[in-house]
Amino acid sequence: MSSVYGYVRVSSHDQNEDRQMIAMAEHNIPAHNIYIDKQSGKDFDRPSYKILMKRLRQDDLLYIKSIDRLGRDYEEIQDQWRILTREKGIDICVIDMPLLDTRNGKDLMGTFISDLVLQILSFVAENERVNIRQRQAEGIAAAKARGIKFGRPVLPVPCDFPAAYRKWKSGVLTGPEAARECDMPVSTFYYKSKQFEKHKKF
């Protein structure tokens, strides 16, 4: 007997899957048959998706909210669609795109239309991913041009660092002892010492 499954994906643990879960509930998909991944769609190396693939059997039905929830890489979406529909022999319903419901139009024309729509949508999904990366890179470059610095702020050197540094260089103190004297992590003390020796400033 065939089973009905749902697959939900959000890009990170900070994103909310409620909208996709509501869509699954509207299609009466059993909660125990809904598989959720919280990670990027750049590939299909996802824990829940792998479990789902092992459970799927011929004539099962898989729901996804939109094609980009399946993935964002143009070629990999095509490959997975082929594996699911042809090798696994299951049906797929993309809720946001009724044309991508393999239960409908299983004749030659229906298959052609479905494949064509899939190609267009998967291309759009990947193109959007590329555009997001480009916008992020442009935004970072523009921020740097305005003098905005990224990363952790540089902590000021303690006022007793020079004295501790001189004692360490003269052999009075070991590195860890000198670091403790100015209340710094040992690695930070060595880093600041090298920076001072190279540039004669901190």
Side-chain angles (χ1 to χ4, degrees):
M1 186 175 179
S2 61
S3 300
V4 179
Y5 296 92
Y7 180 68
V8 171
R9 183 186 66 79
V10 290
S11 297
S12 70
H13 290 280
D14 297 330
Q15 292 186 338
N16 195 305
E17 66 271 17
D18 287 353
R19 191 169 59 89
Q20 295 178 68
M21 292 299 291
I22 290 171
M24 298 295 160
E26 289 173 348
H27 287 79
N28 301 313
I29 302 168
H32 62 274
N33 278 359
I34 299 175
Y35 290 80
I36 304 172
D37 277 315
K38 294 189 176 185
Q39 66 183 80
S40 168
K42 64 183 177 66
D43 56 43
F44 287 87
D45 186 18
R46 311 173 207 149
S48 292
Y49 187 79
K50 288 180 176 179
I51 296 172
L52 171 63
M53 288 292 284
K54 290 179 180 179
R55 288 198 60 185
L56 288 170
R57 298 292 182 266
Q58 187 169 349
D59 297 325
D60 285 346
L61 173 60
L62 174 65
Y63 280 94
I64 56 174
K65 181 74 168 65
S66 57
I67 196 66
D68 63 345
R69 297 306 88 198
L70 186 61
R72 287 188 175 275
D73 182 273
Y74 177 71
E75 291 185 2
E76 288 202 352
I77 292 174
Q78 301 281 332
D79 289 342
Q80 287 299 309
W81 190 274
R82 177 184 54 78
I83 291 169
L84 290 166
T85 59
R86 298 178 187 175
E87 295 183 15
K88 288 280 187 181
I90 71 163
D91 280 311
I92 305 176
C93 175
V94 180
I95 298 171
D96 285 351
M97 181 56 62
L99 283 173
L100 284 178
D101 186 340
T102 60
R103 295 170 297 177
N104 303 325
K106 288 184 176 290
D107 57 7
L108 183 61
M109 180 57 70
T111 301
F112 171 76
I113 292 173
S114 180
D115 286 350
L116 183 61
V117 172
L118 173 65
Q119 288 186 41
I120 293 170
L121 291 180
S122 54
F123 171 78
V124 169
E126 181 179 11
N127 195 53
E128 177 60 17
R129 179 169 64 92
V130 172
N131 287 338
I132 289 172
R133 285 182 176 177
Q134 184 175 347
R135 288 195 294 268
Q136 288 174 338
E138 290 173 351
I140 292 171
K144 286 182 176 179
R146 295 195 304 270
I148 298 174
K149 294 183 178 180
F150 295 87
R152 294 180 180 178
V154 178
L155 297 176
V157 174
C159 59
D160 52 355
F161 177 85
Y165 169 80
R166 286 193 293 271
K167 290 179 183 178
W168 170 61
K169 292 299 288 185
S170 62
V172 175
L173 296 176
T174 64
E177 290 171 341
R180 282 196 299 272
E181 187 166 296
C182 50
D183 195 25
M184 297 174 70
V186 176
S187 58
T188 302
F189 176 80
Y190 286 135
Y191 172 75
K192 291 295 184 182
S193 297
K194 288 181 179 180
Q195 191 178 34
F196 176 71
E197 291 165 0
K198 186 175 181 180
H199 302 289
K200 300 303 177 184
K201 62 179 181 180
F202 302 107

